[in-house]
Amino acid sequence: EADIYQTPRYLVIGTGKKITLECSQTMGHDKMYWYQQDPGMELHLIHYSYGVNSTEKGDLSSESTVSRIRTEHFPLTLESARPSHTSQYLCASSESYKAGEYNEQFFGPGTRLTVL
Amino acid sequence: QKEVEQDPGPLSVPEGAIVSLNCTYSNSAFQYFMWYRQYSRKGPELLMYTYSSGNKEDGRFTAQVDKSSKYISLFIRDSQPSDSATYLCAMKSTGFQKLVFGTGTRLLVSP
């Protein structure tokens, strides 16, 4: 079944730790995205990718980094986690742009990160 | 000022009620208007989208776009407890798929 997966679902870690949030999709989508979602706030785009070896920063400044070595995989890394990084992180993917259509972004279940 | 404004709620209604969810926006370049539903501890899922102005119906759900007023609505008829979720509006202009989201409205439908 085509889907988008995120691991771990929940993560509680101490300040200063390096973490990687995993995101994989089996739909063969070229475009992938990372969003940050805080309670009562809108989703903010922090990173996106057009395809393999393509990564761009989104609207919201983030200390995280991403990589896209394989089409299906788009991990997000925090080199040194801080309490300000506590948030929900959502991964999404979509097909390449087609004029006149909305290319639906499919979202994963999210990773809820808590940094103590 | 935010590009998209959405009342966070919560909006509490009894089962069977008609629900109206709304967003306003400021960017006249937006052409695609989406409604996503997000259950607790899940990612958002697309309910429906509308291109430009007009209405779109899908079962109990109707989406309306009024570009002259920069106002979009989602109506839910015969609401069910299973409709209890957060509803996010999202918009984009043509070209690259950068979505701009509202904060979401939390809907509670009581049996």
Side-chain angles (χ1 to χ4, degrees):
Chain A
E1 180 182 337
D3 211 338
I4 181 164
Y5 306 92
Q6 289 186 247
T7 58
R9 293 293 314 279
Y10 303 92
L11 181 61
V12 180
I13 60 167
T15 297
K17 300 290 186 184
K18 177 181 178 179
I19 61 165
T20 296
L21 307 184
E22 301 287 350
C23 176
S24 294
Q25 50 96 6
T26 58
M27 294 174 279
H29 288 165
D30 289 327
K31 290 193 167 66
M32 296 189 74
Y33 315 81
W34 276 104
Y35 289 89
Q36 192 169 330
Q37 184 180 34
D38 294 311
M41 302 291 289
E42 57 269 37
L43 274 73
H44 285 291
L45 182 67
I46 52 176
H47 297 283
Y48 60 97
S49 168
Y50 289 109
V52 171
N53 295 324
S54 154
T55 61
E56 303 286 343
K57 289 190 178 293
D59 296 330
L60 186 66
S61 175
S62 174
E63 293 163 347
S64 58
T65 59
V66 292
S67 62
R68 190 88 182 275
I69 298 173
R70 303 198 316 263
T71 298
E72 63 271 22
H73 196 213
F74 192 39
L76 180 146
T77 298
L78 276 166
E79 291 292 333
S80 179
R82 294 206 299 270
S84 60
H85 296 138
T86 294
S87 188
Q88 162 115 316
Y89 293 85
L90 289 163
C91 181
S93 71
S94 69
E95 291 182 339
S96 294
Y97 170 69
K98 297 175 186 175
E101 293 183 20
Y102 170 59
N103 302 112
E104 179 181 351
Q105 288 191 20
F106 293 85
F107 284 84
T111 294
R112 185 167 296 279
L113 173 65
T114 302
V115 184
L116 304 176
Chain B
Q1 183 187 3
K2 293 182 180 180
E3 279 190 284
V4 178
E5 298 277 359
Q6 184 175 12
D7 187 333
L11 177 62
S12 295
V13 301
E15 183 176 355
I18 297 174
V19 174
S20 172
L21 304 167
N22 311 292
C23 289
T24 58
Y25 64 95
S26 57
N27 188 344
S28 57
F30 288 146
Q31 293 284 349
Y32 295 88
F33 303 90
M34 281 66 69
W35 285 97
Y36 277 83
R37 178 175 61 195
Q38 185 175 22
Y39 290 113
S40 180
R41 296 183 177 83
K42 302 279 189 180
E45 57 177 343
L46 181 69
L47 268 178
M48 52 201 310
Y49 82 92
T50 308
Y51 175 71
S52 194
S53 285
N55 295 357
K56 190 171 186 178
E57 189 174 321
D58 184 1
R60 296 185 295 112
F61 299 89
T62 299
Q64 286 186 352
V65 175
D66 182 349
K67 292 190 72 180
S68 62
S69 302
K70 296 190 177 68
Y71 188 88
I72 70 169
S73 300
L74 177 71
F75 297 97
I76 307 175
R77 291 184 298 281
D78 188 24
S79 56
Q80 303 294 311
S82 58
D83 295 328
S84 297
T86 296
Y87 290 80
L88 306 161
C89 63
M91 309 174 189
K92 67 178 286 293
S93 58
T94 56
F96 169 61
Q97 304 224 350
K98 176 183 173 296
L99 292 181
V100 181
F101 284 87
T103 55
T105 299
R106 188 176 170 214
L107 173 66
L108 303 171
V109 182
S110 55

